């Protein structure tokens, strides 16, 4: 099977950080803490400037931890991602942006992808590498995309959290003000990760759910439910009538 080539690593300069139009991946800039006035100004500007139009294709950010412990789940997510497209297709349409982090300070994002085979090719070309979590970069990128492209939701799949919980909660609060729910799908039972993942979900108006290591069926249903929400909102999630959909709806505000 042919694979989409990955572009060379870009410089660390945030000005050089961009996504490519062909679905290649690009690095995300470093996270900078926001003050209360920064947040208020950002939200006001976002509401004025967002070019997103009602009736546009729904957009979902699909973010994964690609550190070394995640290889089995990465492979599983690669196999299951087509279910998100299929679920959304029954409701409307969906574009997905793959975002991942791995290794030493590497965090990248693809262009918008509307074809499951293309996303599968991209994911199959990526291997997991040792490194610390970079959830803050993922949330900050989602905040930017809320303005740039009107994303409907963020799905995050991971098993650990090694960053400042306060910083993550602050950025999550900004996403909540922008009405971008984050679905935090946790593999395993790390208590530190669970506490922060729950907070991120609560502050964004999203939901937290746990799935067992290697449980493809559980992860499949969670991804389907998130895709249904992104494509059709709460009504589509209610119509799905699965256990996972009920779990998500029960937490969302």
């Amino acid at each position: 099977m042919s694979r989409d080539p990955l572009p060379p690593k870009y410089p660390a300069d945030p000005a050089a950080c961009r996504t490519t139009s062909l679905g290649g991946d690009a690095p995300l800039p470093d996270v900078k803490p926001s003050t209360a006035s920064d947040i208020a100004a950002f939200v006001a500007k976002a509401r004025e400037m967002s070019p997103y139009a009602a009736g546009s294709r729904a957009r979902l950010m699909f973010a994964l931890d690609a550190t070394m412990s995640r290889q089995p789940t990465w492979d599983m997510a690669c196999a299951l991602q087509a279910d998100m497209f299929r679920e959304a297709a029954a409701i409307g349409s969906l574009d997905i942006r793959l975002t991942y982090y791995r290794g030493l300070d590497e965090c990248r994002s693809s262009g918008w992808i509307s074809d499951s085979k293309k996303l599968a090719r991209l994911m199959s070309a990526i291997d997991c590498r040792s490194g610390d979590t970079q959830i803050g970069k993922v949330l900050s990128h989602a905040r930017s995309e809320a303005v740039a492209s009107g994303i409907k939701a963020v799905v995050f799949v991971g098993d650990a959290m090694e960053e400042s919980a306060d910083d993550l909660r602050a950025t999550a609060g900004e996403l909540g003000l922008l009405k971008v729910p984050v679905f935090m799908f946790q593999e395993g039972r790390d208590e530190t990760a669970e506490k922060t993942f729950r907070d991120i979900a609560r502050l964004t108006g999203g939901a937290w759910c746990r799935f067992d290591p290697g449980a493809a069926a559980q992860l499949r249903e969670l991804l389907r439910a998130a895709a249904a929400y992104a494509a059709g909102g709460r009504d589509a999630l209610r119509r799905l009538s699965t256990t996972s959909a009920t779990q998500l709806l029960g937490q969302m505000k």
Side-chain angles (χ1 to χ4, degrees), residues 7-25:
K9 190 170 183 177
Y10 293 102
D13 178 6
C17 294
R18 61 188 185 278
T19 55
T20 68
S21 60
L22 298 178
D25 58 353

Side-chain angles (χ1 to χ4, degrees), residues 161-197:
M161 193 289 292
E162 299 156 331
E163 301 158 66
S164 165
D166 286 342
D167 288 347
L168 296 182
R169 284 192 286 264
T171 309
E174 295 174 42
L175 284 169
L177 291 172
L178 292 167
K179 300 189 183 305
V180 178
V182 180
F183 298 104
M184 301 293 293
F185 297 154
Q186 180 183 351
E187 180 178 34
R189 297 183 176 276
D190 183 287
E191 293 183 1
T192 299
E194 178 179 336
K195 185 178 187 304
T196 305
F197 287 6

